[in-house]
Amino acid sequence: ALVTLGAIAVLGGGAAAAGAVAGGYTIRKKKKAKKKLEKQHDAIAKEEEKQEELECKTKEELLQMKQGDSYVQYALGMIDKDSERSKSYLKAASAQGHAYAAYRLGEGHQSGKLDPLSEDIALDYYLCAADRGLAIGASKAADIYFQRENWKDAKKYYKRSIALGNENAVKNAENA
């Protein structure tokens, strides 16, 4: 059998050739996952940088800024005292890919600060934040799975949180 390994053709067959192909696939898959984590880390760092830049702005200044900007939407959602308006701003930011906005929506629904009080809605937002690379989102999702005794998903999201840089999740992952 002729097995193609990248640009190299390997004659023969059997387990050695199949193993080489599978090994190459695993290496590519790991590199792709690492690149995705790095990209997510960069996006989270940019969110944190923009948050610092905008947190000193007044509501009036933020309202004069570009309204379609997810960073502005997030900042408005964090400072608006009206919970429905705050929720609306955070939802707009989350819909544009803002990880912290998704996390804050999860917190609001889990604590009851946002209507409705719902652990299921909170979990959805935490998973969204985790998928965007936010370690605390993955950890919060894992906590909910842990409370529900869903050990498989709890462990999965604790490990995801660790991979995203949350070393505090190590102990929780061992207990899941």
Side-chain angles (χ1 to χ4, degrees):
L2 178 65
V3 178
T4 304
L5 197 71
I8 302 170
V10 179
L11 277 176
V21 171
Y25 172 76
T26 302
I27 291 169
R28 283 192 306 279
K29 190 174 177 181
K30 286 182 180 180
K31 284 182 179 179
K32 189 175 182 180
K34 185 177 179 182
K35 277 189 174 185
K36 182 180 178 182
L37 279 175
E38 288 171 357
K39 189 175 181 179
Q40 289 175 332
H41 176 71
D42 291 346
I44 296 299
K46 183 177 179 183
E47 281 186 21
E48 291 170 348
E49 183 181 311
K50 288 295 275 185
Q51 283 169 221
E52 282 184 36
E53 180 183 314
L54 294 173
E55 70 185 12
C56 62
K57 304 279 186 199
T58 67
K59 183 176 180 182
E60 291 72 30
E61 289 172 318
L62 290 168
L63 287 169
Q64 291 175 2
M65 296 176 87
K66 185 178 175 189
Q67 287 300 301
D69 186 285
S70 67
Y71 305 109
V72 173
Q73 298 289 345
Y74 175 77
L76 285 166
M78 293 305 296
I79 64 170
D80 202 304
K81 302 295 182 215
D82 179 271
S83 65
E84 283 305 309
R85 217 174 21 237
S86 174
K87 181 178 173 181
S88 176
Y89 286 130
L90 291 173
K91 280 180 121 177
S94 179
Q96 294 176 54
H98 199 287
Y100 276 100
Y103 170 74
R104 295 295 182 193
L105 286 162
E107 270 188 329
H109 285 289
Q110 189 175 26
S111 68
K113 289 180 182 175
L114 295 178
D115 204 28
L117 170 64
S118 171
E119 193 173 71
D120 290 330
I121 293 173
L123 178 59
D124 287 343
Y125 280 117
Y126 290 145
L127 291 171
C128 182
D131 288 345
R132 293 175 180 165
L134 191 60
I136 189 69
S139 189
K140 289 286 196 170
D143 290 344
I144 291 173
Y145 284 130
F146 188 85
Q147 291 168 356
R148 294 178 178 182
E149 297 182 5
N150 180 339
W151 312 123
K152 180 182 174 188
D153 286 333
K155 189 168 209 123
K156 175 183 174 181
Y157 282 94
Y158 282 132
K159 285 183 176 182
R160 175 102 171 108
S161 184
I162 294 164
L164 292 168
N166 183 3
E167 295 173 11
N168 297 329
V170 172
K171 185 175 180 181
N172 294 336
E174 292 169 356
N175 294 329

